[in-house]
Amino acid sequence: LSPINSLQATRAHSRGSRHAFPEPPRAAVHAVQSTVDPSPTPVAASAEPGDNHGQASGEDLYRSLYTELYKHGYHAKTNSSHCGGLVSRLLSKYHFETVLDVGCSNGYSVELLTNGGKKAQGVDVSEVAVSVAQSLGRNVQYGSATNIPHPANSFDAVMSTDCFEHLIGDDVYKATDEVIRVSRRIVGMRIAVRAEYHRKPEWKPTMAKYGQRNLHASVLGKNDWQHLFVERARTAGYPAAKVVDKLPDEPSYATFIMDLTPDAS
């Protein structure tokens, strides 16, 4: 697997939080070595991080592709999301005050978290999704998973659902590092481990226009996603980082919660 050449690994002390989060040491980023764990169902087209299969990647591509897909009915339901299980688990088991959802679509998760008493924000790369979310009064702004528009250690918790499988090549590493960078402690993820199967015919011209054969561009096994996040966290200066929770088994998803500093009080 290819390394990311640069990462801001210095962490600031948490301020104004009910937890004290220790400042971890600096660490150089290195390549994550992982043996791919096959997904539970056959995958028609898959890619490991670092393997672009000739596809373009980057924030400009995602913004153009998903802004246009939303115009064709992608994630059209504004009160329906894959986020419910992860949001419920975070609210019921973990202490945090501030939370960011990366790739939040229309921002339904932000509404759920806000109703749960949290200071919640979301970012999404689709300008249409952001506009819809804001029209519904949800605290969502434009932002890419590969370049989150917040300083380091901005949130007690950072989550993302049904986003990372859409990233191409080394963008998986960049986004993983970004989620870790802006979180003070908790990282909650829900990632599909199979090729998409709800593709609508009206999406195909847009996908072809941007050279995308599969919207799920990076398909790894459950264990591999968990390993990837833990290793990136450890090389970013969190040597004790570990997966502390997994949601009930879903054959098509890796859903887990990582604690960056599990030994902190």
Side-chain angles (χ1 to χ4, degrees), residues 166-254:
H166 294 265
L167 300 171
I168 300 168
D170 284 345
D171 287 342
V172 171
Y173 297 127
K174 295 176 183 178
T176 302
D177 293 342
E178 280 290 277
V179 164
I180 293 165
R181 179 184 67 83
V182 299
S183 175
R184 283 196 282 267
R185 184 162 187 177
I186 297 299
V187 173
M189 303 298 300
R190 186 180 192 265
I191 309 171
V193 296
R194 57 168 291 171
E196 81 274 15
Y197 54 92
H198 290 311
R199 190 189 307 165
K200 296 182 179 180
E202 56 265 35
W203 300 348
K204 291 183 180 180
T206 299
M207 292 173 63
K209 175 181 177 180
Y210 294 100
Q212 304 306 303
R213 295 184 293 274
N214 286 277
L215 293 179
H216 289 188
S218 293
V219 180
L220 282 73
K222 294 182 178 184
N223 292 337
D224 296 292
W225 280 115
Q226 294 170 30
H227 178 80
L228 173 64
F229 271 81
V230 168
E231 289 303 306
R232 299 304 282 195
R234 289 176 177 174
T235 59
Y238 293 105
K242 65 180 179 180
V243 172
V244 294
D245 200 0
K246 302 175 188 178
L247 268 66
D249 188 49
E250 296 180 285
S252 298
Y253 291 91

Side-chain angles (χ1 to χ4, degrees), residues 13-24:
H13 284 290
S14 173
R15 300 183 188 276
S17 172
R18 289 163 63 185
H19 282 304
F21 296 95
E23 181 177 7

